[in-house]
Amino acid sequence: MIKERLIEYIEQSITQNWEIEALSNYREKEYSYKDIAEKILKFHTLYRDSGIREGDKIALVGRNSANWCIIYLATVTYGAVIVPILPDFKPEDLINIINHSESRLLFVDDKIYESIEISRIAEIIGAVSLDDFRMITSVSPVLKESFDKLDEKFSKAYPEIRKEDIKFSAISNDNLAVISYTSGTTGFSKGVMITHNSLACNVRFAQNHMPLKPGDPLVSFLPLAHTYGCAFEFLFPFTYGCHITILT
């Protein structure tokens, strides 16, 4: 167990690189680190109001995008467990994985959602579009009400986002952060359980061995649902204040 925490790495980078460009899809609008902080706090509000607790699983199915990264950051900093799933899985496999992981909320590309029978996913309370963050469907009245009132409640709680607001979950390094499903080359897809400690170790290793500095541009093209691409083309450069351009 190391003393460094992924959530602290993220907090520090956001506050130290407040106005720097953080994430963008290729040739699309850029998000600053301040913008990312606002999105994270807004999804924390949604999670809390809709009954998502620390340790609950959130499924994430979509092509590489800035919005994909935002949901990943919002989920792990809240203390929930992100379940990133490769977008090229067959619909039947997607349903089985989401059920197996016991995910409670689904973030998904619109086109992928069209192929999924949401009624076959037992514990899901709703699905949110990764394309534009709108609510696609809500099984839970509480989730729907929370989503409908989210903008109003958030603007009252945070009339202006300040660096002092950037204090996320205090969960320890031995908590589960990610369930990563393999491509199933030896049969059915396997869920690999990854702790916050493992993610923090990867970030610390990269910071000690890869020469980057705040503002450096970086292109991300490996699958973010894979642990290698996620760790070294997203999480590590994000903690350094780099501008990550994502090839969708």
Side-chain angles (χ1 to χ4, degrees):
M1 192 76 66
I2 64 173
K3 68 179 186 300
E4 293 88 351
R5 296 170 60 243
L6 176 69
I7 293 177
E8 288 177 346
Y9 277 130
I10 294 169
E11 290 172 345
Q12 290 166 8
S13 183
I14 287 173
T15 56
Q16 292 171 6
N17 303 292
W18 197 242
E19 301 294 342
I20 292 178
E21 295 168 353
L23 291 168
S24 61
N25 297 330
Y26 181 60
R27 291 183 174 176
E28 293 186 16
K29 176 183 178 292
E30 298 157 348
Y31 292 104
S32 68
Y33 280 84
K34 179 183 177 182
D35 294 333
I36 300 297
E38 180 176 352
K39 297 288 187 185
I40 289 173
L41 290 171
K42 196 168 188 177
F43 279 109
H44 284 187
T45 302
L46 177 65
Y47 289 169
R48 187 167 51 250
D49 290 353
S50 57
I52 299 295
R53 298 167 296 186
E54 289 189 359
D56 281 348
K57 283 78 173 181
I58 307 292
L60 177 58
V61 189
R63 70 194 190 284
N64 288 9
S65 69
N67 284 355
W68 190 103
C69 296
I70 288 169
I71 296 305
Y72 188 106
L73 292 170
T75 301
V76 297
T77 56
Y78 182 76
V81 178
I82 195 73
V83 184
I85 306 170
L86 289 166
D88 51 358
F89 274 121
K90 294 178 181 179
E92 188 68 25
D93 292 331
L94 289 175
I95 291 171
N96 289 337
I97 288 171
I98 297 169
N99 276 325
H100 183 266
S101 68
E102 300 178 337
S103 292
R104 297 202 59 219
L105 186 61
L106 171 65
F107 289 88
V108 60
D109 285 355
D110 288 353
K111 288 184 178 179
I112 296 175
Y113 178 78
E114 292 173 2
S115 69
I116 299 175
E117 295 180 55
I118 197 74
S119 61
R120 294 177 56 197
I121 305 175
E123 298 191 35
I124 287 290
I125 62 173
V128 178
S129 170
L130 274 179
D131 292 10
D132 54 13
F133 291 148
R134 76 185 188 285
M135 178 70 69
I136 300 175
T137 187
S138 175
V139 179
S140 162
V142 175
L143 174 64
K144 185 180 186 307
E145 182 180 2
S146 300
F147 199 90
D148 289 344
K149 295 181 178 179
L150 181 58
D151 287 340
E152 179 184 357
K153 182 168 185 177
F154 183 77
S155 62
K156 287 181 179 179
Y158 300 98
E160 182 180 355
I161 302 295
R162 303 172 300 167
K163 293 181 181 181
E164 293 76 20
D165 298 319
I166 311 308
K167 188 64 179 176
F168 304 136
S169 175
I171 62 174
S172 68
N173 264 1
D174 57 358
N175 281 48
L176 184 63
V178 182
I179 302 178
S180 178
Y181 281 85
T182 68
S183 56
T185 51
T186 58
F188 295 108
S189 182
K190 313 297 193 300
V192 180
M193 303 173 76
I194 302 171
T195 65
H196 279 261
N197 190 69
S198 296
L199 297 179
C201 284
N202 279 334
V203 169
R204 187 178 73 173
F205 172 86
Q207 288 191 353
N208 290 337
H209 293 88
M210 298 182 182
L212 291 175
K213 61 182 183 296
D216 276 352
L218 183 133
V219 175
S220 172
F221 65 91
L222 293 174
L224 290 172
H226 277 170
T227 53
Y228 186 89
C230 187
F232 297 109
E233 290 189 354
F234 165 41
L235 290 179
F236 152 59
F238 188 90
T239 66
Y240 253 17
C242 297
H243 175 208
I244 306 165
T245 298
I246 299 167
L247 300 184
T248 58

